[in-house]
Amino acid sequence: VLASFRGTVQHGLPLEIGDTVQLLEKCEGWYRGFVHKNPNAKVGETLLCVIEAVSFETVIPTEDSVITEMTTTLRDWGAMWKRLYVKNEGDLFHRLWHVMNEILDLRRQVLVGHLTNDRMKDVKQHITARLDWGNEQLSLDLVPRREFSMVDPDEISVTELFKLMEHRHRKKETPVPASTHHLFVHMKSLMSSNLGEELEVFFHIYDGRENRPLSERFFVRLNKNGVPKSPEKTERQCTLFVDLGSSDLRKDVYIVVHIMRIGRMGAGEKKNLCSIQYRRPFGCAVVSIADLLTADSKDDHLLKVYACTTESEWYQIHENIIRKVNSRYNLSGSNTGLAVSLQLLHGDIEQLRREYMVLFTRGVSITKKLGFSDIIMPGEMRNDLYVTLEKGEFEKGGKSVARNVEITVYVLDIDGQVMKVRSSIPYGEPGGDEYHSFVLYHNNSPRWAEQIKLPIPVDMFRGAHVRFEFRHCSTKDKGEKKLFGYSFIHLMQEDGRTLPDGTHELIIHKCEENANLQDSSRYLKLPFSKANLPGNNQAVKGTKESFWITSFLCSTKLTQNGDMLDLLKWRAHPEKINDSLSKLKEIDGSEIVKFLQDTLDTLFGILDESSQRYGLKVFDCLVHIINLLQDSKFQHFKPVMDTYIESHFAGALSYRDLIKVLKWYVDRIVDAEHQDHIQQVLKATEYIFKYIIQSRRLFALATGGQSEEEFRCCIHELFMSIRFFLSQENKITSSLSEQQQCTAVFLRTFPAVYGELLKIFTVREVAGFVRETLGSLPATAHAECPLETVKLHCITKTVESQLYTNPESRCILLPVVLRLLQAHMQEQRDLVMCARILTSMLSLIRKDDSELVVSEEVDLIVDSLLVVLMRTILEITNRPQPAGTNMRLQFQDITGEFVACLLALLRQMSDKHYQQLLQTFTSKDDLRDFLLQIFTVFRILIRPEMFPKDWTVMRLVTNNVIITTVLYLSDALRKNFLNEKFDYKVWDSYFYLSVIFINQPCLQLESFSPSKRKRVLEKYGDMRVMMGCEIFSMWQNLGEHKLNFIPAMIGPFLEVTLVPQPDLRNVMIPIFHDMMDWEQRRSGNFKQVEAKLIDKLDSLMSEGKGDETYRELFNSIIPLFGPYPSLLKKIERETWRESGISLIATVTRLMERLLDYRDCMKLGEVDGKKIGCTVSLLNFYKTELNKEEMYIRYIHKLYELGLLHASVCWENGIILCRELADQYESYYDYRNLSKMRMMEASLYDKIMDQQRLEPEFFRVGFYGKKFPFFLRNKEFVCRGHDYERLEAFQQRMLNEFPHAIAMQHVNQPDQTIYQAEAQYLQIYAVSPIPESQDVLQRDGVPDNIKSFYKVNHIWRFRYDRPFHKGTKDKENEFKSLWVERTTLTLVQSLPGISRWFEVEKRELVEVSPLENAIEVIENKNLQLRTLIAQCQSRQMQNINPLTMCLNGVIDAAVNGGLARYQEAFFVKDYIVNHPEDGEKIGRLRELMFEQAHILEYGLAVHEKFVPQDMRPLHKKLVDQFHVMKSSLGIQEFPAYVRASPVHFTNGSPRSSCRNSVPNIISPDGARVVARRSPLTYPAVNRYSSSSLSSQASNEVSNITGQSESSDEVFNMQPSPSTSSLSSNHSASPNVTSSAPSSARGSPQLQDKHKHSRENSCLSSRERPVSAIYPNPLDPAQVNTHKQINTQTSTSSLPPFTPSPTECQSAGLVSNSPVLSGSYSSGISSMSRCSVSEASGTEATTGDHPAHQGPTMPNSVSSGSDELIRRENKTPPPYSVYERSNPRRPVPLPHSLSIPPSVDPPALPPKPHQLRTSSMKLVPTSDPRRADGVPHVPRPRPLPRKVSQL
């Protein structure tokens, strides 16, 4: 925006200068769009804007582009750099920090602007290298560059862009291996225990395969301490072995180190007065170069030093070490080692100087290879003679022992003067006049193998010689060196040739000790070599003394070849010209290139003087030299020849002879039998033309352009001859004929001639030559002809030549090129070359060329290649990729090149080209095929694997070309394939392309950094929105044909709408209304749309697509854009709005669950949350959508994620084992049947032997809008982990939801909490209400079995909250203490797939103070009974629990106790005001008396077992008990109370009613009493009414048991005044359970298996007091609060046996759960005890056989006993837990099923039942009863029901 715009017009959008606007539509000079600075503007807010069309200009920053890139890149890195720290990626964090600082420093240097051009170039190179490194490390985009600057993709062709990207990618991926290598050596020290003399260390590289040295020797002198003698001179310690080839980096190439000591002859000799020192062998070390390739480049190496076993073997000690001939060497010393630094460097020497500036600055010597390197560089000057002292044979000389021979070497010039050529020491130390060899002790046949380098100047070679003097080194005191002979050798022969390379046996001339050898003329006339001795000198030949040396010359100026000398001296010997020219081909190439200029001058000199005589031979020699330079070893001399032609060539007349001879050879091609030499001539065509053209230019320059026409005629004739031989057709074979080989050779060299011809001819003339020459080639249809490939190579070089770059020549050459290219691409041949040609062609089409020229070229290429190009891309992308790495890379390369060519061509096409292209299709079928083809190609182009991941620039260009092309082609689609011409396949391909285009990762701008997103939007806009608008437009044009795409396009369009781009969603969502509408018209419903939408939504959102914004938008009523209303609004206008709105709601709810599922599946979420979320989703699929397959799918996902943990529900496993066993048995698969039976048996063993802890259950409410949908504002019941208490559970939940706030009350939250933008957790414990009553009521069932059914398969849970209704009586709060009882019903039973399930139904019931008091005392009585029984049966190892419980009840009674209940409910006022509670008051009085009697019995038992130290406490309890009795006014217990209060026959105080003759337990616990003592009365059934009438005394003989099973837990609830979320240990008094899981129902094991927790669970300090685990009521108990029933004759409970094996024993219950709490009295606490619904029974007339007493008017006849027994788990009549949907029954193992055959014996009636049998109430409508037994209603007031949720 160039000017601000207020936006005051209708729909106007205010704009500021600098804003970027995305344009969507244009209408009459006005635009619709939005501002980029607010891309997340909501739908309907400032989306429509109007701006006036204005001209625009591009703002180009004035600063250097590298500076701009640095600035933006560093900003992006800064944010990512901080994230590296957070992710703990310390290494990259620190490296990136250093690089960023370095870039900033370089940026400052550039900004200052004081750098030279060369330095600026280096700085920019360093900057871009570091930018690229950082981008690669951070996985950012690859930046295309040209000369360090970023390239604008719009300024270059797509093919050029691809080349740049590919070049940078290859440079990054596979760096080009260096062909030249160098070894850096730094001598550190020699560590040895026997030093004391100076040392000389020699390094050289040795070829172990050829047994020869590869390099010169580097020398370091060490002092007596083993360190370098001149440490300040680093060049004397460090060297670089240069010019190692790649072939030298192999395992058998070694670094060999020889060490010499300078001192006495023997290493152990004592010091003497002799000052003469000798060079003596010390040791040798060897290391392989291959070891350096794997070692750290900066590691120091400690080389082992070995010494010879025999000194005579010194010359080959390194070979012995390499071959590991251990017998010939040993360690020089155990502590001897050579410390050196070795490092391999790669690249040319100049590159090393730049990269290792410090290395070269501080000084390093260069050690060269022996001889020339693999590549000889022109200008290289060397003149080195290497002499190796091999061996000698000497006579004793009259001595008894062998000599100690030392050789002294001198180099003397022609005058006999000693030259200073640094021959004494190899490179590394300054040289001297002489060189002394080392000395071998007492050896007349010494072998030295010591190499000497003699760098003799070229001008001093002639006449020079080398003299070797031999001296005997005496070991006597004088230590003299006595001369006894000498040898010499000349360095140059008389004819000018140097000393030939090889071994020379020299004559040893004897001399006297004092002989004077300074006058060299005296001995130079003597023979020096035995090979050159004349035949008559047999005396010298026969001598035994000889000396052998090996010489090797490395010189760029001297030659050892006589033929070369003869040729160069042709004027002196003209008679030898013919022979010299003939022998030139036999001369070594290195000799020729050394004298290249001289040789060429010689040849053209001979040609000028004797062209007729020697013209052909000179031409052949010239061809030989030209082809010699094609060799890789000498290819670097081509510039030397080019320089010679440009600057030194002077043959102005040579062009005539060269043209004539060349034409003569070309004319002979067709007829010649042997064409090898002709091929050599054609191979040299390039340089022959160079000489021809240069010669003609020199002639024209000298003569003023004479003979121009003649020259042109000669050239035309030459090309006519060439075209003639090219046009000859030969028999096509798979191999080339000789003539075809000539054609191939010419075509390879022909493009190189174009540039030379352009120096004389015009562009059009040269283009004509080329067109006619290439056009003369015969058309070959044979695909396998090798010549076709050569033709293509020629075309490639032609297109890449300077000639083709000119537009004038392109017009001439393009048809020829296209014809050949099209033929190859149609046949899919040589695609690599075709891609290269096409790339070069399209790279030359530039925008700056004239529009007409570009248009014509594009026309030609489109007509010839567009369709072929697309077909080629389809072919190569559908082929299987080759196996080889190189082939696969090449395959990918050509794909990318062809794609780039297609994109470049399409980008150059204009409206005119598209119109012409579409007009070329004469039929609809052709157009249809073309559209299908191009849409398919586009789909291929946007595949992720088409380009490397970091090629975002290339991908954006590709997408821009695609969308532009699609916009052109969509018109053709509308015009040609709609209405009656509708073609589904074309339209489907179009839509499919559009969808995958929008979903490309490279277009998802939301994932880009802000700067990158801004750049993309400024250059291309949001291409997704453009394509979305096009989809919408095309969809609207379909009309009734939309039905063809329903439901197929629902999934793809849904995927598009899930893209998080608001405008795209606004455009695409209305399409779903269209789909629903058209499907409704066709089918009357849109079930297909719904099914497809749901299925696709699941898969897409599982892939990470979609978000909360989309869910809101889908269900929104806000208008989408412009005139288009929201989806919901559009649906509301339709006749099918109800089903439509229902679909929207269903999809919205599904999205909620899918979003939750996706969030939970993210890394880091806890398993419980994942399971809960998954269960919510799969239940939604099963219950609401009825999609069984989706349900099963998510079950499998749970399994795959490992979220279905193995449980200990072995009872369920038994059922599955039986099902499988039945299957195996039916198929007689007894092997697997046996396994199943054994598995089943093992499960039974586990049930009986292993302990299963009873978990606690917690109710959790998730309130607030910040929770996931599957949790939001819902309540769940969760099954806790083992040993997990409320406090631990609450902490775990807060860890899972770290932002949640724990609510500190248990009241239901209000709407403020529900709608809060926060998370609130409300947690408290609840008690399970068991469903499986059959097992719990059966006699003889072990407790560990019952405990399973008590906490498994639970649907209902209960929570009690005490409160005061009305005015609280401060003196006695029990008068107003009510209990609010909440029952929660779940959607599924626990445990299930998940550890938690949602609450489906919520029931609230209020319990009156009187009922509460009854329950409190009743449960306390049961607790006392249980403890007494456990103590009496010796199950209790510690009597403390019983002591504490007795103390709590009795002591509380002293402090008020039961008297408070008397004051509250037994006073006259209460009885008068509550006449309906008469029965309850009677029941309360009975329980009080019962408790007192139980206490009396308990004290008796306690006295029996109490330890001696607790006797005083016991006495105190007895005294207090008497006070308690007195306070109750009890002098003697009534008869019905005197029945034993602790009679338990089945381990439960409430289930002894099934035995007609109950067991009587006396206080001593051992004797069975037949009579009914006062202690044999069980607890009175709390479901029956009672009165205080005199009938009580008549009911002593009818004793019944307490109607609670042993598995029920009764716990005291503390006062409601305490905090709701705190507790003694883990929970609050009225939030947490008063009974720990171990107390409520842990399996009772044998003592040796008993868990340690069981042993301590009865301690008051170990037992938390709470109300969250009040034990659940059974249905019968619930009836206590709603309808108090009476029993006529019998109890509904089974008899209670002490254990499964002692059903009739006199012991009490063996494993009854023990109550927790403080063991206070049932009255001392201000709350009530709650009881479990474990029994789930009612006192009905049909529960058991009737008692045959006279007071049973409502009893049922015995004939229905069996039926009544089967129905003994009837729920309470008013049951609030009835469910509309039947629950899945919990199957029991067969062994636990209830046998129906045995009738229980008749039970004596309870006294209180006899009195109230006429008032029995039975439920009339119970869904769980099916027997039809009539139930007599009982007129009882129900408890007040507060609410039902």
Side-chain angles (χ1 to χ4, degrees), residues 19 546 767 957 1128 1562 1586 1698 1709 1737 1739 1758:
D19 284 348
S546 293
V957 170
L1128 208 55
S1562 61
S1586 63
V1709 59
T1737 59
S1758 61

Side-chain angles (χ1 to χ4, degrees), residues 18 31 108 271 360 403 427 455 660 894 1043 1128 1284 1460 1811:
Y31 295 83
R108 280 190 290 269
K271 290 186 178 180
F360 288 91
R403 286 171 167 158
Y427 196 79
K660 182 172 65 174
I894 62 169
L1043 288 171
L1128 208 55
E1284 190 172 39
R1460 292 297 181 92
R1811 292 195 301 270

Side-chain angles (χ1 to χ4, degrees), residues 291-350:
D291 295 341
L292 304 182
L293 297 175
T294 56
D296 189 342
S297 60
K298 297 181 180 179
D299 280 352
D300 287 344
H301 298 261
L302 186 63
L303 309 181
K304 293 182 179 180
V305 178
Y306 299 94
C308 279
T309 307
T310 305
E311 197 174 81
S312 60
E313 295 288 336
W314 172 257
Y315 74 98
Q316 60 180 5
I317 181 173
H318 53 283
E319 296 179 9
N320 291 332
I321 295 172
I322 291 170
R323 295 196 300 265
K324 298 183 179 179
V325 185
N326 299 333
S327 60
R328 298 188 180 184
Y329 65 90
N330 50 39
L331 280 174
S332 179
S334 58
N335 297 324
T336 303
L338 191 69
V340 295
S341 176
L342 304 172
Q343 184 178 358
L344 269 175
L345 308 176
H346 310 281
D348 59 63
I349 195 71
E350 293 303 321

Side-chain angles (χ1 to χ4, degrees), residues 9 52 90 154 213 279 728 731 865-866 1130 1153 1275 1319 1385 1393 1463 1466 1585 1667 1766 1831:
V9 298
E52 190 169 358
D154 293 340
R279 298 178 66 237
Q728 299 301 307
K731 184 178 180 181
L865 296 181
L866 179 61
K1130 290 172 74 72
R1153 287 158 175 77
E1275 53 182 341
Q1319 292 180 341
T1385 307
I1393 295 176
E1463 295 172 3
F1466 292 170
S1585 63
R1766 287 200 299 268
H1831 302 284

Side-chain angles (χ1 to χ4, degrees), residues 765-785:
E765 286 178 324
V766 178
F769 284 141
V770 176
R771 181 186 61 187
E772 293 169 1
T773 303
L774 296 179
S776 64
L777 291 168
T780 307
H782 196 275
E784 297 181 359
C785 179

Side-chain angles (χ1 to χ4, degrees), residues 1219-1248:
E1219 291 182 12
L1220 288 171
D1222 291 342
Q1223 293 296 321
Y1224 290 140
E1225 189 172 9
S1226 64
Y1227 288 101
Y1228 299 94
D1229 187 353
Y1230 289 165
R1231 181 70 63 189
N1232 284 322
L1233 176 63
S1234 171
K1235 292 179 181 178
M1236 280 298 106
R1237 294 301 187 196
M1238 287 190 286
M1239 183 182 294
E1240 183 180 352
S1242 69
L1243 294 177
Y1244 282 122
D1245 291 338
K1246 290 181 179 179
I1247 292 172
M1248 300 306 299

Side-chain angles (χ1 to χ4, degrees), residues 1048-1063:
M1049 289 308 298
I1050 292 176
F1053 286 169
L1054 178 64
E1055 188 174 4
V1056 171
T1057 62
L1058 288 173
V1059 173
Q1061 216 292 338
D1063 303 313

Side-chain angles (χ1 to χ4, degrees), residues 419-425 430-434:
M419 292 190 293
K420 294 183 179 181
V421 293
R422 297 194 303 175
S423 61
S424 61
I425 296 297
D433 299 340
E434 58 190 30

